[in-house]
Amino acid sequence: MSQEILQVEGLSKMYKLGDINTGSISHDINRWISKLRGKEDPYQKVAVTNDRTTKTSNSYVWSLKDINFSVNRGEVFGIVGKNGAGKSTLLKLLSKITKPTEGRINIDGRIGSLLEVGTGFHPDLSGRENIFLNGAILGMRKQEIRRRFDEIVEFSGIERYIDTPVKRYSSGMFVRLAFAVAAHLEPEILIIDEVLAVGDQEFQNKCISKMKDVSSQQGRTVFFVSHNMMAVRHLCTRALLLDKGQVSMIGPVGEVLEAYHHDEKDSAHGVRNNLPERTKGYFKSWRLEGQTPSNNHSCYSREDFDMVLQFRAQESIVKCDLNFKITGPDGTTVLFTKSSDGLGGLFMVHPGDYEFRIRMNLPVAKGKYEVEVGLFAGGWVDTWKSTTKLQVLDAADGYGGDSSAAILNVKTDFSLSSI
Amino acid sequence: MQNKNGPSAQAIAFENTMSYPINEPLLAKGSEPVNSPAPPPAPERKWLETITPHNNIFSLNIKEIWSYRDLLMILTRRDIIALYKQTILGPIWFVLQPILTTLTFMLVFSRTRNLHDGWHHPVILFYLSGLVIWGYFSECVVRTSTFFKDATPILSKVYFPRLIVPLSLIVTNLVRFSLQLGLFFLIYLFFILFKGEHMAPNAYALLLPVLILMVALLGLGAGMMISSLTTRYKDLAHLTTFGVQLMMFASTVIFPFGSVGTGLYGAVMKINPMTGIIEAFRYGWMGEGHLSWSLLGYDAICVVVLMFLGIITFNAIEKSFVDSI
């Protein structure tokens, strides 16, 4: 017998953007007519790839396009990707909440999904009543819940409040109870979306080890979506990387996570003044070269580093003035500098790839800063406000105290003398 | 030479930008006509379940619903308990409502002469019987007609047979209805035992379970249909409450069948499927009323048609309503 427990073939899902109601009667009628005539849905043809950063006039997008993969029994399968890559849509299709536009999913087992903790919890009912309610909603039989009731209560660690209405619970208690129910589900396939983001560290660890148990000892299959890369690396054996609704990579979890990080770092997304292919040249990416380990979009406060800007020239450009701006979290301009003002002057480029380097340091409070660059040569060649934020960390020497209270984080020296 | 443009002018130009990612051509792949790869020919493997884009419009997966019967009971319990948590009177509220309405009607219509010429028993039993049965129907329709919307927080997060929700509403209302019916029978007995009313149930009283089932199915069918259509066109939600209220006046809840004659109003009353049911109930238990097999037959047809339409519309949107609600 095959080990495959779930198989996805050519799975696609189309969504309509914007207001559902506007013009939907006419679209419905159009659809219906083409269905009668045996043609395919006219709106499927015009849908475009899902990318939340582009704006198109088209109101249909493919949230998922042509997804193929299969998962074996007992595997913990991770799904990673940026916001809007289609992770949640995929889970919704797998858990039968909504149907695909195309393709099919073959399943060989009972599916239980946990897309949210405490689905259906009623605030007026007690913890005890809600365990039964939530368990039944997640697909458990009454005897099954009764049999595991004590286990559930013990796992949640809130015995004392079990007969209190859940509206009096703290949010942590609420989550604990809800996850405890879900952790004792017994489907062959368990789908979990981002639920570990809540709850304290101790409870998160408890949940992770519980899920490991579920797969390794009970031989059940787990789908796991999370932005918590540690959890994904810890739990999953294989993973799927989604990008703009398409499968970017499937493989061992280590390799996929590496690809995901790489992808995130080189994020070329951002706000520009021109379409890149219509300019004489454009900025491709930026990175920092400094002390911070393993992350080239962050630096320590006050540390000297190189800001490296990759630039592709598509034509020769003379008298280029490089403009560089850093904006704080509240929108204040922290730094604005031009190569024509400082050391460097004006540049000249020929078609090809270049790297601009700006040696600098940022004596500012820790936080996320926005990077904006522009190249001026009699007019703007390209301006680019990067989506990726520059993260300033607390100074490496630990000096600076509570730096978040002020904009600047400058090394100060206090002394006292009597006069 | 140095570029003499002021930094402020440039800084402003920075803001005047548009959004575009670098590595995606303007026309993305998905904009080409779709040639979805045909699924591989008949896999030799037997899967337990296959999810496809297609709906089966005519099927009700009874087996699956049966396997979720515990959920049905627990949802029902939740709805009933939640209704009277933190109230002093608790379930008494269930019976207070029809009693108060009945008293109101008696007060208002007592001045209208000849209204109850054909009715020789206590008027309170006339109103109460009509109101209790009508109340069950109207609660079923109104509550199920918004269930997709009301239950979206749950339905968009977890899968179970969607039909469980309207069914639990029907059962919840059945509990309520039973309490109200119990009240009716208490008053009924009171009049027979202490007031010496000459009333007795006849053989047609045995129709009661059938009548209740018909009311439940009428409510379920209409509610499912309205609820399904409401997920796309919310206009209907506004119409339902109003429409059901209006329908009550075109039934024998307030006016005895005999009092309206055979004019237009009488015809409208006959179209209302609840008329036959209410009259059959009155006839069965109190020996008065307009028992008509043709009306009951018509009601049965209404049940079948409404349930059929309800199931079709329900199945058509069941698997995708989350996207449009």
Side-chain angles (χ1 to χ4, degrees):
Chain A
M1 188 188 144
S2 163
Q3 276 296 99
E4 274 179 4
I5 192 164
L6 186 142
Q7 194 183 60
V8 172
E9 291 167 0
L11 195 70
S12 302
K13 176 74 181 172
M14 185 178 74
Y15 275 113
K16 187 178 186 304
L17 297 179
D19 199 347
I20 294 268
N21 260 331
T22 329
S24 62
I25 283 204
S26 66
H27 282 203
D28 281 354
I29 293 172
N30 259 340
R31 272 209 181 99
W32 185 66
I33 290 173
S34 47
K35 205 172 176 181
L36 279 190
R37 292 163 64 196
K39 294 189 177 168
E40 62 175 307
D41 187 342
Y43 298 102
Q44 285 187 17
K45 293 184 186 174
V46 296
V48 299
T49 312
N50 175 34
D51 183 342
R52 70 193 142 77
T53 54
T54 46
K55 194 168 160 60
T56 63
S57 57
N58 202 322
S59 58
Y60 290 93
V61 291
W62 290 106
S63 183
L64 284 178
K65 187 75 183 133
D66 202 14
I67 307 289
N68 295 286
F69 66 90
S70 63
V71 175
N72 293 335
R73 211 171 282 275
E75 245 184 327
V76 184
F77 192 73
I79 299 172
V80 293
K82 284 180 248 179
N83 284 333
K87 302 186 297 286
S88 297
T89 307
L90 181 56
L91 293 195
K92 276 189 177 169
L93 294 180
L94 289 175
S95 50
K96 292 201 285 189
I97 286 162
T98 180
K99 62 170 186 174
T101 312
E102 285 175 354
R104 60 165 66 214
I105 305 169
N106 294 318
I107 308 164
D108 212 6
R110 198 163 70 132
I111 287 195
S113 59
L114 186 58
L115 303 193
E116 173 192 68
V117 284
T119 307
F121 264 39
H122 196 289
D124 279 325
L125 300 186
S126 69
R128 182 187 302 276
E129 287 162 323
N130 269 311
I131 289 180
F132 280 93
L133 177 61
N134 189 231
I137 285 176
L138 294 174
M140 281 160 108
R141 298 296 312 276
K142 214 169 181 174
Q143 310 105 290
E144 209 176 319
I145 305 171
R146 206 170 282 142
R147 189 158 42 80
R148 314 203 63 176
F149 186 82
D150 293 336
E151 241 178 287
I152 292 173
V153 175
E154 198 200 337
F155 186 86
S156 70
I158 54 158
E159 288 92 335
R160 182 193 259 260
Y161 297 92
I162 201 67
D163 288 313
T164 308
V166 295
K167 63 181 170 187
R168 313 236 182 278
Y169 282 25
S170 75
S171 51
M173 279 158 60
F174 189 90
V175 169
R176 278 166 169 265
L177 183 65
F179 190 85
V181 180
H184 292 81
L185 281 174
E186 285 176 330
E188 282 99 348
I189 305 168
L190 185 60
I191 296 176
I192 299 176
D193 186 12
E194 204 60 83
V195 284
L196 291 179
V198 283
D200 56 21
Q201 195 61 46
E202 176 219 331
F203 191 68
Q204 282 190 23
N205 293 341
K206 202 168 162 184
C207 298
I208 288 180
S209 61
K210 178 78 192 174
M211 281 198 281
K212 276 200 141 163
D213 265 18
V214 162
S215 66
S216 61
Q217 286 173 24
Q218 301 165 26
R220 281 186 267 144
T221 312
V222 181
F223 277 85
F224 185 58
V225 166
S226 179
H227 286 288
N228 181 346
M229 290 305 143
M230 282 297 286
V232 173
R233 190 183 292 275
H234 209 71
L235 259 177
C236 303
T237 41
R238 278 201 313 148
L240 164 75
L241 174 59
L242 279 177
D243 185 31
K244 290 173 208 146
Q246 286 163 331
V247 175
S248 170
M249 187 179 175
I250 303 178
V253 68
E255 287 172 30
V256 171
L257 285 188
E258 208 162 286
Y260 175 57
H261 279 301
H262 187 74
D263 186 40
E264 205 170 37
K265 276 173 195 161
D266 277 348
S267 173
H269 294 279
V271 185
R272 292 169 183 278
N273 68 334
N274 259 323
L275 301 182
E277 54 265 41
R278 295 193 198 149
T279 58
K280 294 183 192 168
Y282 58 90
F283 290 98
K284 283 167 65 184
S285 69
W286 66 269
R287 65 172 193 275
L288 301 185
E289 287 183 3
Q291 306 285 318
T292 46
S294 77
N295 183 344
N296 42 27
H297 286 105
S298 66
C299 67
Y300 295 116
S301 186
R302 291 199 304 274
E303 166 204 6
D304 282 323
F305 61 86
D306 277 353
M307 161 61 78
V308 184
L309 297 158
Q310 289 202 329
F311 184 80
R312 171 167 292 167
Q314 315 199 90
E315 292 172 28
S316 293
I317 316 169
V318 294
K319 289 184 186 168
C320 302
D321 189 5
L322 181 66
N323 290 247
F324 182 78
K325 181 167 137 183
I326 288 180
T327 315
D330 57 352
T332 46
T333 303
V334 173
L335 175 80
F336 180 82
T337 179
K338 297 193 290 178
S339 62
S340 57
D341 288 344
L343 305 169
L346 298 177
F347 301 101
M348 175 169 170
V349 292
H350 299 291
D353 288 326
Y354 292 87
E355 268 186 4
F356 290 107
R357 270 171 193 272
I358 311 174
R359 188 75 181 159
M360 60 190 288
N361 67 67
L362 287 172
V364 294
K366 70 175 172 189
K368 289 193 168 177
Y369 292 80
E370 220 163 50
V371 173
E372 208 173 337
V373 289
L375 197 74
F376 190 88
W380 287 108
V381 175
D382 185 28
T383 71
W384 175 44
K385 187 191 269 184
S386 172
T387 309
T388 315
K389 299 273 197 295
L390 192 165
Q391 177 131 31
V392 176
L393 309 170
D394 272 330
D397 54 13
Y399 191 90
D402 181 15
S403 56
S404 61
I407 297 174
L408 283 183
N409 179 15
V410 183
K411 202 162 184 173
T412 44
D413 201 354
F414 290 81
S415 65
L416 175 70
S417 56
S418 61
I419 46 171
Chain B
M1 271 297 284
Q2 295 250 316
N3 169 14
K4 289 299 176 200
N5 272 39
S8 58
Q10 293 181 14
I12 290 163
F14 264 66
E15 315 297 333
N16 182 19
T17 51
M18 66 174 285
S19 169
Y20 198 75
I22 211 162
N23 43 10
E24 197 64 28
L26 186 57
L27 289 172
K29 273 184 239 160
S31 61
E32 294 158 13
V34 175
N35 315 308
S36 64
E44 66 290 345
R45 170 124 186 238
K46 264 297 239 192
W47 296 93
L48 195 72
E49 189 179 0
T50 296
I51 300 172
T52 64
H54 308 292
N55 298 326
N56 189 349
I57 282 208
F58 299 106
S59 83
L60 276 183
N61 199 341
I62 305 283
K63 207 174 129 199
E64 197 188 15
I65 291 170
W66 180 247
S67 74
Y68 274 88
R69 61 190 179 279
D70 283 348
L71 176 60
L72 176 66
M73 293 336 284
I74 288 173
L75 280 180
T76 305
R77 229 177 87 87
R78 176 196 73 170
D79 285 347
I80 292 169
I81 292 177
L83 265 179
Y84 63 77
K85 275 250 163 147
Q86 276 198 13
T87 64
I88 296 169
L89 293 183
I92 294 176
W93 281 113
F94 288 154
V95 295
L96 218 53
Q97 198 194 343
I99 274 287
L100 290 178
T101 320
T102 300
L103 294 178
T104 314
F105 279 8
M106 285 172 70
L107 201 71
V108 171
F109 295 111
S110 64
R111 291 162 195 281
T112 321
R113 306 181 83 206
N114 304 334
L115 189 60
H116 301 104
D117 275 355
W119 187 260
H120 305 296
H121 297 308
V123 177
I124 187 171
L125 291 177
F126 174 83
Y127 283 128
L128 198 57
S129 57
L131 276 171
V132 164
I133 298 175
W134 181 265
Y136 184 40
F137 171 72
S138 101
E139 277 292 306
C140 285
V141 175
V142 172
R143 292 290 306 279
T144 45
S145 72
T146 54
F147 92 87
F148 269 125
K149 198 173 89 221
D150 297 340
T152 301
I154 296 182
L155 298 181
S156 65
K157 291 295 178 192
V158 67
Y159 175 81
F160 51 84
R162 272 51 175 120
L163 206 55
I164 291 286
V165 182
L167 284 178
S168 85
L169 292 173
I170 300 291
V171 178
T172 307
N173 282 323
L174 185 64
V175 174
R176 219 173 118 112
F177 170 68
S178 309
L179 287 172
Q180 297 176 345
L181 203 62
L183 173 79
F184 169 82
F185 283 123
L186 277 181
I187 297 175
Y188 176 77
L189 282 176
F190 171 81
F191 275 105
I192 291 178
L193 296 177
F194 299 102
K195 296 282 181 177
E197 261 314 306
H198 290 290
M199 286 185 296
N202 52 44
Y204 295 104
L206 294 175
L207 278 175
L208 182 63
V210 181
L211 297 181
I212 294 175
L213 184 70
M214 281 168 87
V215 177
L217 291 182
L218 277 175
L220 180 65
M224 272 181 0
M225 192 169 71
I226 298 167
S227 188
S228 311
L229 295 172
T230 312
T231 59
R232 285 195 76 96
Y233 307 108
K234 298 207 169 151
D235 316 51
L236 268 175
H238 300 285
L239 271 175
T240 312
T241 330
F242 178 66
V244 169
Q245 220 164 47
L246 214 60
M247 264 177 79
M248 185 177 81
F249 292 97
S251 73
T252 53
V253 173
I254 300 171
F255 308 112
F257 200 72
S259 72
V260 291
T262 48
L264 179 66
Y265 196 39
V268 171
M269 249 188 200
K270 280 187 184 169
I271 291 175
N272 188 336
M274 289 300 291
T275 300
I277 295 173
I278 294 174
E279 287 299 302
F281 176 82
R282 284 177 180 155
Y283 185 82
W285 290 92
M286 296 175 280
E288 279 187 46
H290 183 83
L291 179 80
S292 151
W293 285 108
S294 62
L295 270 186
L296 280 179
Y298 162 74
D299 290 348
I301 295 171
C302 283
V303 167
V304 173
V305 170
L306 271 180
M307 277 304 286
F308 180 72
L309 291 177
I311 289 170
I312 286 184
T313 47
F314 180 85
N315 281 341
I317 66 112
E318 180 199 15
K319 288 180 183 166
S320 58
F321 82 95
V322 174
D323 304 336
S324 62
I325 200 150

